[in-house]
């Protein structure tokens, strides 16, 4: 059981590190934040040093998130779409084990990237003599939780939808885009004079809002997280919020894993 | 003997889509493989052999009917596979691994620990030891097939499913592979294999079934299948007057005729020949080959289908006869049992 899991994890990690396309992307993505760094070195105030770390974390987070979603989709495409699973499932290796390992490997690599980012951030703050922002670890932990949620959904949807489509949906049809659409449509409704136009804009807004509510969220406590990411300060309630986010993440991961395994078990692998 | 694989009324229909008609790949297949058999599942392209094998392993779910593998319904990833192995028609591997890594990965999926020396032996056995560090992307088709064979032997399976195992292999390894199979079989492994290479099947299988258009048109002991029907003698003799009509002359020269004679007519033929002053140069008994039986049965099936089509009945009408009856012809020497050891 454990042996199988570990060897599946190893397989997935080998897939990630030996994938040229992913390596090129990773290289490109790790060079990209440098362009954000340069303007910051032109200033030296303590406040800006903290801002620098915050911006770096934000930019890097987006890139880590994106590359891991791409990696998850590619892994599904390589192993499932290209019918490698028939060689796995005709051995005593369950769909649960396989999927859990797949998620664990992606999450492991993602966490490693976030920890690296954290270490880099800490080193920079220490070098500049900026006092350590108390909730910096919480910020990083939150990012890892969000990644876990997103990866779980990709793995679940990818079992029955083409991973490329899942990826597109994640990038363009996510919760955020519907939220923004709802806000924009609402604004448009207010400016329009024509009653039909107003109605149409309101309808669009209502529908997008409904979709926004229905769609799974990678950021369970948006308001809390927005404040946290602005201040990086540990406040009353941060612990409780963190606990809630952890519980939400765990529930999502378990739900997605169970459902995806059940689907994979019922699917045909010829 | 106990049954390892029992298949009853197995049907598989691939549902159609907007652009594709639904296909009934298996139309009620029944047979049984006993422990210790080397069972050959034969049939023309598209007959449903691979589909059947997928159903035996639980990789495809039957539309109707039942499959029992070692007495259980096969579920993918279940403990049943601890002692079952499968080599797919087109093995798909994690191509980013090396030969050795892939083999080790597959070995790690079993509960029973597989000692490294067994992996080593498997690599040696199929002649892949010298390529162990090669990435699978760089391996040739035959090399990948060899890896597949090694991977299907590492858990010392009790039941071994092979879908066209010798495809893409060179003759030397084909021979070695045959020996491996026979050796394993002697140690108790049941083998179920799909193949188009009928000579090979004839050499190692003790039972065969022929599948055509999703139906079993012949199923039985190989020896009996080959014994039944039109065995004949190949005759070389001098020309003589008025040969009997049962003697088919295939080649004629001034001094010699070559031809075939149905097995039952030999005594009368020799009698006639000597009476008319002819000389017999050579007379050789020719057993039917599996290939002849195969072609005959499949053609028969085609004709039946055409007839049915003309009569307006469904193409899926049952063919006459399935199992072979005990011999009508005298027993023929040289059973395949000798080759099987
Ligand atoms: N996934 C699928 N969807 C639709 N039809 C399929 C599918 N797989 C197989 N078929 C059809 O089922 C029939 C049997 O195919 P199968 O692969 O079992 O044949 P086979 O006997 O193994 O042939 P071959 O000797 O060429 O390997 C064919 O008509 C094929 O087109
Ligand atoms: Mg086939």
């Amino acid at each position: 059981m454990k042996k199988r899991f570990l060897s599946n994890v190893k397989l997935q990690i080998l897939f990630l590190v030996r994938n040229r396309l992913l390596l090129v992307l990773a290289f490109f993505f790790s060079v990209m934040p440098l362009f954000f760094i340069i303007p910051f070195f032109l200033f030296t105030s303590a406040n800006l040093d903290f801002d620098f770390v915050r911006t770096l974390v934000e930019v890097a987070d987006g890139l880590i998130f994106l590359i891991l979603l791409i990696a998850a989709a590619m892994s599904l495409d390589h192993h499932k779409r290209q019918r490698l699973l028939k060689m796995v499932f005709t051995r005593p290796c369950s769909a649960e084990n396989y999927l859990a390992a797949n998620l664990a490997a992606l999450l492991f690599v993602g966490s490693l990237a976030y920890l690296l980012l954290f270490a880099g951030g800490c080193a920079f703050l220490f070098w500049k003599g900026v006092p350590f922002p108390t909730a910096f670890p919480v910020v990083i932990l939150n990012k890892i939780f969000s990644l876990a949620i997103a990866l779980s959904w990709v793995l679940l949807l990818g079992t029955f939808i083409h991973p490329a489509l899942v990826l597109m949906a994640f990038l363009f049809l996510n919760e955020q885009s519907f939220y923004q659409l709802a806000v924009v449509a609402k604004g448009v409704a207010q400016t329009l004079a024509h009653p039909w136009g107003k109605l149409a804009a309101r309808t669009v807004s209502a529908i997008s809002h409904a979709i926004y509510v229905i769609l799974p969220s990678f950021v369970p406590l948006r308001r809390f997280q927005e404040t946290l990411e602005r201040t990086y300060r540990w406040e009353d309630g941060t612990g409780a919020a963190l606990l809630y986010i952890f519980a939400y993440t765990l529930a999502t991961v378990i739900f997605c894993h169970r459902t995806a395994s059940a689907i994979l078990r019922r699917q045909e692998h010829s | 003997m106990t049954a390892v694989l029992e298949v009853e009324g197995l049907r598989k229909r691939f549902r159609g889509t907007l652009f594709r008609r639904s296909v009934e790949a298996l139309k009620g297949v029944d047979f049984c493989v006993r422990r210790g058999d080397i069972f050959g599942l034969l049939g023309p392209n598209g007959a449903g052999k691979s589909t059947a094998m997928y159903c035996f392993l639980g990789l495809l779910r039957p539309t109707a009917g039942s499959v029992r593998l070692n007495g259980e319904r096969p579920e993918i990833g279940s403990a049943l596979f601890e002692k079952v192995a499968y080599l797919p028609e087109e093995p798909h591997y994690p191509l980013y691994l090396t030969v050795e890594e892939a083999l080790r990965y597959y070995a790690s999926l079993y509960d029973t620990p597989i000692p490294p020396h067994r992996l080593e032996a498997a690599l040696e056995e199929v002649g892949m030891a010298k390529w162990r560090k090669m990435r699978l992307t760089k391996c040739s088709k035959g090399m990948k097939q060899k890896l597949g064979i090694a991977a299907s032997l590492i858990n010392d399976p009790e039941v071994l499913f092979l879908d066209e195992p010798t495809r893409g292999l060179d003759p030397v390894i084909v021979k070695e592979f045959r020996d491996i199979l026979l050796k394993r079989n002697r140690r108790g492994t049941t083998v179920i294999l799909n193949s188009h290479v009928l000579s090979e099947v004839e050499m190692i299988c003790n039972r065969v079934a022929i599948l055509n258009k999703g139906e079993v048109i012949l199923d039985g002991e190989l020896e009996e299948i080959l014994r039944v029907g039109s065995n004949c003698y190949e005759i070389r003799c001098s020309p003589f007057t008025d040969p009997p009509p049962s003697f088919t002359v295939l080649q004629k020269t001034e001094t010699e005729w070559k031809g075939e004679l149905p097995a039952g007519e030999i005594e009368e033929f020799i009698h006639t020949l000597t009476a008319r002053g002819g000389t017999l140069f050579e007379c050789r008994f020719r057993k039917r080959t599996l290939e002849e039986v195969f072609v005959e049965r499949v053609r028969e099936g085609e004709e039946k289908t055409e007839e049915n089509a003309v009569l307006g009945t469904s193409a899926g009408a049952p063919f006459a006869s399935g199992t072979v009856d005990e011999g009508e012809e005298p027993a023929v020497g040289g059973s395949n049992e000798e080759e099987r050891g």
Side-chain angles (χ1 to χ4, degrees), chain B residues 146-179:
Chain B
K146 286 181 193 176
L147 169 63
I149 291 173
S152 64
L153 295 175
I154 42 174
N155 65 327
D156 229 342
E158 284 166 8
V159 191
L160 182 54
F161 288 89
L162 303 164
D163 199 341
E164 293 184 37
T166 53
R167 193 171 115 123
L169 296 183
D170 62 71
V172 177
I173 189 78
V174 167
K175 161 89 177 67
E176 279 167 16
F177 176 59
R178 216 156 47 216
D179 295 341

Side-chain angles (χ1 to χ4, degrees), chain A residues 28-103:
Chain A
F28 182 66
F29 281 7
S30 45
V31 170
M32 234 152 70
L34 294 181
F35 293 105
F36 292 89
I37 292 173
I38 294 160
F40 275 95
F41 276 105
L42 303 177
F43 311 96
T44 44
S45 84
N47 200 20
L48 272 178
D49 289 337
F50 172 65
D51 275 350
F52 164 70
V53 171
R54 207 168 54 183
T55 314
L56 181 72
V57 168
E58 226 155 83
V59 171
D61 168 47
L63 298 177
I64 294 172
F65 210 80
L66 184 64
I67 197 165
L68 276 149
L69 290 196
I70 294 174
M74 280 172 72
S75 168
L76 275 174
D77 183 69
H78 188 83
H79 297 98
K80 181 170 182 296
R81 291 260 145 200
Q82 304 200 20
R83 307 189 287 168
L84 266 70
L85 291 183
K86 68 182 169 205
M87 302 277 285
V88 176
F89 290 159
T90 49
R91 297 190 158 79
C93 170
S94 63
E96 279 84 357
N97 194 310
Y98 182 82
L99 275 177
N102 198 342
L103 178 64

